[in-house]
Every structure is written in structure tokens, then in C-alpha cells.
Amino acid sequence: SGEALGHVRFDALIVGLGYDKDYLESVKRLASKYGIEVVTNLSEGEKWDLLCRAGFILHGAVNEHFGLAVAEAMFTGVIPIVHVSGGLWEDVASGVGYGYTNNEEAVKALLTAVSRFGNDQEQRLKAIEKATKFHYTQFKTNLLKILEDCCYS
């Protein structure tokens, strides 16, 4: 870890990618050239420990419907950097994270997020607040209210 992106230095991990073994091996080879560790098959405890120590999550999927990994990261105050498409941007990350439409914008968003690290407490609190809306108990409460308003009004 500890690679420099521009003039900013930070540690990076790639988490996930355990589905296609050939792809995973090619990602590991490329990541090792830059001192980036690739981690797969984390337990729930390891995942939450990592999220509690993370500053940012860069999510690469385009047109993601929801993005549970991003919502969970936001729940711990992690700043999301996601593609500006689909429900992940519209419903989850907009207003609290950084969006991008191409690789160049993704790098710029990451640089912005990293350079603001330490001065982004308000943004982190907004991420936690927004992610709380996706918690099961909050979802259940909202759904019951909608059904009550719809069916019993």
C-alpha cells in the first residue's frame, strides 16, 4: 500500500472480486505493481472492521440498482465515489458522495476526496444519516407508514 496518486499518498485495498478466478488473478497481478492489496471472502466481522477504518469507497459498477456495499460503507461514515447512473447514485450516494461518468472523472473524484480527508466530517455525518434510512428497522417503519396511508386513509 501507500501508493501515490498525483501528489496525494494513501493506502488502497481492492475488496471483493471473488467470482471469476482468472479475472481475480489478473487484478491481483496488476494491483501488486502498485502496492495495492486485493482481499476476497471477508467475514462479516472483517468487513465491518475494514469499513470502520476506511475513508472512501470507489465503486466501479455502472447502472447499479442499489449497491449494498456502498450503503454499508456510508453507515460507517465512508465517503462514496460511484458512477452517476442507476439507483446507486440516485438513491444512495447523491448528496453525500462524489459521482463520475468516466475513468478520468473517477480519478479526479478520488483525488478530491483524498485531499479533503480530515476536513470532511460534515460530509461523513451526512453519509451516516442517509445510510440510516436504508437500515431494516427504518425501512420497515417507512413501509408500514406507506401501507397505512394507502390502505387505511
Side-chain angles (χ1 to χ4, degrees):
S1 299
E3 275 303 301
L5 181 61
H7 66 284
V8 180
R9 180 169 289 286
F10 62 94
D11 292 332
L13 288 174
I14 296 175
V15 180
L17 302 169
Y19 305 112
D20 180 330
K21 297 298 180 196
D22 292 336
Y23 181 65
L24 177 60
E25 289 308 313
S26 67
V27 169
K28 283 182 176 181
R29 279 192 301 277
L30 182 59
S32 70
K33 291 181 183 180
Y34 298 96
I36 298 173
E37 184 181 355
V38 177
V39 220
T40 59
N41 301 319
L42 293 174
S43 69
E44 279 294 301
E46 291 168 325
K47 175 186 72 176
W48 287 105
D49 179 60
L50 179 62
L51 289 175
C52 288
R53 294 182 290 118
F56 319 97
I57 182 170
L58 174 59
H59 194 276
V62 176
N63 291 319
E64 181 84 18
H65 298 291
F66 178 72
L68 181 60
V70 173
E72 288 177 332
M74 287 169 48
F75 194 75
T76 65
V78 171
I79 305 295
I81 304 167
V82 305
H83 194 271
V84 182
S85 63
L88 177 55
W89 174 252
E90 294 169 12
D91 300 327
V92 181
S94 67
V96 297
Y98 299 96
Y100 66 89
T101 59
N102 58 46
N103 291 345
E104 183 177 297
E105 288 179 8
V107 171
K108 287 180 183 177
L110 181 58
L111 285 171
T112 300
V114 171
S115 69
R116 292 194 66 232
F117 187 72
N119 297 315
D120 56 1
Q121 190 61 26
E122 186 176 322
Q123 188 177 11
R124 291 181 184 284
L125 292 173
K126 284 181 183 177
I128 293 168
E129 181 181 342
K130 190 165 189 182
T132 302
K133 295 176 183 177
F134 302 113
H135 189 275
Y136 173 75
T137 54
Q138 186 64 45
F139 177 81
K140 181 179 169 183
T141 300
N142 292 344
L143 179 60
L144 289 174
K145 173 136 180 46
I146 290 169
L147 291 173
E148 184 178 284
D149 291 348
C150 174
C151 301
Y152 300 107
S153 298

